[in-house]
Amino acid sequence: MTAPTDALPRRHAWLAGEFERHRAHLRAVGYRMLGSVTEADDAVQEAWIRLQRADPGGTDDLRGWLTVTVGRICLDLLRTRASRRESYAGTWLPEPIVTGELPTDPEPGPEDRALLADAVGIALLVVLDRLSPAERVAFVLHDVFGIPFERVAALLDRTPAATRQLASRARRRVRAEAPDPEADLAVQRRVVDAFLAAARAGDVGALLEILHPDVEFRGDGGGHGLLARPALRGREHVAPQAGLFGTRFARYARP
């Protein structure tokens, strides 16, 4: 007896439906791993391609399989990024999720709203970005998304004990360096507004009053190494650069 001729199309349709059901979750995994919505979407799309090529079979824990698959893709991207940084003059900054700030912004769809609800702050993403690729994968997959250490260990090609140590080391760094969640956001917003106002006016004197003496100015050149510059430190060096930023770009800036 042969299998029904429509069995494979039905299976493919089921996989496609399940993948779409988990897409928002997978985007959140990719975003926490990579700090970039664009790269997260690319990782999710690659996971769909791999699912089509290598159907895991059965119906149990497809979400877990997809989560680990996205984690593996992100690990490769993080390792490539780490090697590129060795010859990169600028800095790498997380990509914020910004919607609804301007009248021209489109209304976020269901996936965007889910990603926003599950997003971490930019400051915490900066902390995650200081971890090694293996530490970040171990911490995000286990501590954030609950993937068992045994599965994360297989992804990292390490023992479960070594993977626990990676996650523990990452956890200590996150706890030590993550910003205070109870910080006064109203005060922060006033500082940002004052900075943008001074930058837009090109008022270097006002910037000198606002900036911390040891402030650091970093830019990634829009992701193009040739446009990136080393970080500037100290307000006497940063204020003129911020004034230049103000005359060219500050009117486009969003808090």
Side-chain angles (χ1 to χ4, degrees), residues 143-156:
D143 283 40
V144 180
F145 293 102
I147 300 298
F149 277 124
E150 290 73 18
R151 297 188 69 176
V152 182
L155 185 159
L156 296 173

Side-chain angles (χ1 to χ4, degrees), residues 163-185:
T163 304
R164 282 190 177 88
Q165 290 180 348
L166 284 172
S168 177
R169 188 159 61 239
R171 197 178 304 121
R172 287 195 299 270
R173 290 194 62 181
V174 169
R175 288 173 178 170
E177 300 180 32
D180 181 4
E182 301 301 323
D184 191 335
L185 295 180

Side-chain angles (χ1 to χ4, degrees), residues 32-255:
R32 288 187 184 234
M33 289 280 197
L34 301 169
S36 165
V37 177
T38 303
E39 289 186 343
D41 284 338
D42 289 344
V44 171
Q45 185 60 33
E46 176 62 24
W48 167 242
I49 293 172
R50 295 190 184 188
L51 177 63
Q52 291 178 298
R53 290 175 179 170
D55 184 345
T59 59
D60 295 336
D61 198 23
L62 181 61
R63 177 186 173 107
W65 185 92
L66 289 168
T67 300
V68 172
T69 299
V70 170
R72 182 176 290 107
I73 295 165
C74 291
L75 177 63
D76 291 340
L77 291 172
L78 289 170
R79 286 171 172 167
T80 300
R81 182 189 293 178
S83 64
R84 288 170 56 197
R85 286 183 182 179
E86 295 177 1
S87 58
Y88 191 73
T91 185
W92 295 76
L93 301 173
E95 176 187 331
I97 302 173
V98 183
T99 58
E101 290 282 349
L102 297 177
T104 55
D105 286 338
E107 181 69 19
E111 291 181 5
D112 294 315
R113 286 194 291 270
L115 187 59
L116 282 165
D118 197 41
V120 294
I122 295 298
L124 182 55
L125 282 174
V126 171
V127 176
L128 292 177
D129 208 40
R130 294 172 184 159
L131 304 176
S132 71
E135 287 173 338
R136 188 166 184 169
V137 168
F139 174 79
V140 171
L141 286 186
H142 179 268
D143 283 40
V144 180
F145 293 102
I147 300 298
F149 277 124
E150 290 73 18
R151 297 188 69 176
V152 182
L155 185 159
L156 296 173
D157 195 23
R158 299 176 186 238
T159 65
T163 304
R164 282 190 177 88
Q165 290 180 348
L166 284 172
S168 177
R169 188 159 61 239
R171 197 178 304 121
R172 287 195 299 270
R173 290 194 62 181
V174 169
R175 288 173 178 170
E177 300 180 32
D180 181 4
E182 301 301 323
D184 191 335
L185 295 180
V187 172
Q188 294 181 28
R189 188 59 176 259
R190 286 198 297 271
V191 171
V192 171
D193 288 344
F195 171 80
L196 288 178
R200 286 166 179 156
D203 191 341
V204 174
L207 287 168
L208 287 171
E209 294 182 2
I210 295 169
L211 298 174
H212 188 280
D214 299 323
V215 67
E216 184 174 295
F217 182 95
R218 295 184 289 171
D220 65 359
H224 302 285
L226 294 177
L227 300 179
R229 298 179 179 179
L232 295 175
R233 294 179 178 84
R235 62 185 172 192
E236 69 279 5
H237 300 295
V238 170
Q241 181 67 34
L244 177 62
F245 160 81
T247 60
R248 298 178 63 189
F249 304 115
R251 65 193 182 99
Y252 301 109
R254 311 183 208 178

